[in-house]
Amino acid sequence: MPTALVLGYDPQAIPGVDGEALRAALDAELARFGAHGIDAEMTLIEFNESAESTLIASLTKRPWDVVVVGGGIRKAEPLLPLFEQIVNLIRRHAPKAAIAFNTSGGDSVEAAQRWL
């Protein structure tokens, strides 16, 4: 069974957003992976001192076939340094994994499937 790691920004850390509703949508998307025969896990991070260690732990937990980087990390200009850090950590700690990008929390499966 192919494996996928989904990296996203913790919705509880986004001001003015219904974090619980967004988290429920992300969890529903994660469940869709199983329906498509993909063993997936999700790691949600914040842009703070814990981001790097959290990312490294997730990236090295097991071999990943694809790592999906969420749009919430890529699209917000203030998070550009975090996005760069993530890409470089993937390259360093999961070098055999393809890197995919979703457009929203609802198309992570399709993003992963492009590379599986």
Side-chain angles (χ1 to χ4, degrees):
M1 178 178 288
T3 60
L5 174 63
V6 180
L7 301 176
Y9 202 75
D10 186 344
Q12 302 294 338
I14 303 171
V17 171
D18 183 348
E20 290 181 25
L22 186 52
R23 178 60 194 255
L26 293 173
D27 288 340
E29 179 67 4
L30 188 63
R32 275 193 344 113
F33 278 91
H36 287 83
I38 302 168
D39 184 12
E41 294 183 26
M42 180 172 46
T43 297
L44 300 175
I45 56 171
E46 292 183 44
F47 190 26
N48 61 28
E49 64 280 345
S50 70
E52 184 171 355
S53 62
T54 300
L55 289 163
I56 291 171
S58 294
L59 291 166
T60 59
K61 181 176 180 181
R62 62 193 282 195
W64 300 106
D65 294 310
V66 63
V67 177
V68 179
V69 181
I73 292 171
R74 290 188 334 280
K75 295 178 182 180
E77 190 174 328
L79 296 180
L80 179 61
L82 177 62
F83 175 55
E84 290 176 337
Q85 180 183 27
I86 288 170
V87 170
N88 282 294
L89 288 171
I90 294 168
R91 188 176 55 82
R92 193 173 308 129
H93 296 285
K96 294 183 180 184
I99 301 173
F101 304 104
N102 67 14
T103 60
S104 71
D107 68 353
S108 295
V109 171
E110 291 75 15
Q113 286 177 321
R114 288 192 296 268
W115 294 99
L116 293 175

